[in-house]
Amino acid sequence: MVVSDSMEDWFPHISPDGKKLVYIAYPASTQTHDPRDVHIELKLVAIENDKASKSQKVLVQATGGQGSMNVNSWAPDSMRFAYVTYETLP
């Protein structure tokens, strides 16, 4: 758990400047980090005094899961990061 909420948090990645952390939040009760085609949220947390803030900001709500953000994907300037979402088919 990255922050205290009902979601399951995985893959925290600290920005190169050390001021932000982004992670994937899966639905509550997700047992592993590898479900696919589920609702995910990418959340941003500020890092202050070497500690993660208690509040988070939802940046993206999408269908994703395994592969959405497995490796640190921050841009060198700490202003952007890359992620993958899945297109759901009818």
Side-chain angles (χ1 to χ4, degrees):
M1 178 179 353
V2 176
V3 297
S4 181
D5 63 14
S6 65
M7 310 241 353
E8 296 292 332
D9 307 334
W10 288 85
F11 303 113
H13 299 295
I14 297 174
S15 61
D17 66 6
K19 296 180 181 178
K20 297 172 251 182
L21 177 130
V22 67
Y23 64 95
I24 297 177
Y26 286 100
S29 76
T30 300
Q31 297 294 314
T32 67
H33 71 279
D34 60 0
R36 293 171 174 82
D37 297 326
V38 297
H39 173 80
I40 62 165
E41 295 179 350
L42 298 182
K43 295 186 177 185
L44 181 73
V45 174
I47 297 174
E48 301 162 356
N49 301 321
D50 295 328
K51 292 184 181 178
S53 155
K54 291 184 180 182
S55 63
Q56 71 272 358
K57 178 180 179 181
V58 176
L59 299 177
V60 175
Q61 293 185 345
T63 300
Q66 176 65 19
S68 289
M69 200 172 70
N70 286 16
V71 298
N72 197 343
S73 53
W74 280 99
D77 65 1
S78 299
M79 298 299 291
R80 299 169 309 281
F81 62 91
Y83 61 93
V84 175
T85 61
Y86 306 156
E87 180 178 342
T88 55
L89 300 175

